[in-house]
Amino acid sequence: MSYTDMEIPAKLDGYVVSEIGDYAFEECGEIYGTLTFPDTIVKIGEGAFSWCNGLYRVELPENLEFLGEGAFFGLSELSKVFI
């Protein structure tokens, strides 16, 4: 399997992306590699990326104010988390 990186955009359709909702990407089998968030993200909801087993590295934004319970639960390949 080859890994690709995923970056959450700072803006989507002209709107600032500031939150990832509860269970937004739960069990997403299409996310592999490194997941990077822009500094605009202040909240990552409960279970947002739970069971996304292809993730092996997560880069959290410095401005993060809330990390929901189990946001990254069940990631068997996760080896690094950076802030």
Side-chain angles (χ1 to χ4, degrees):
M1 172 187 309
S2 64
Y3 288 105
T4 58
D5 297 331
M6 178 181 170
E7 185 174 341
I8 301 294
K11 286 189 174 184
L12 188 61
D13 293 332
Y15 295 97
V16 173
V17 178
S18 61
E19 297 183 9
I20 305 296
D22 293 347
Y23 306 100
F25 295 95
E26 180 183 31
E27 296 184 30
C28 184
E30 301 301 315
I31 301 176
Y32 298 100
T34 299
L35 175 61
T36 305
F37 296 90
D39 287 335
T40 58
I41 297 290
V42 294
K43 177 183 177 183
I44 299 174
E46 183 176 320
F49 294 92
S50 59
W51 301 106
C52 293
N53 291 323
L55 287 176
Y56 66 88
R57 178 179 163 151
V58 174
E59 297 179 6
L60 297 172
E62 289 184 22
N63 297 333
L64 189 65
E65 297 173 7
F66 179 84
L67 182 61
E69 185 175 338
F72 297 100
F73 181 78
L75 277 64
S76 60
E77 298 297 318
L78 186 64
S79 63
K80 294 184 181 187
V81 177
F82 295 93
I83 297 176

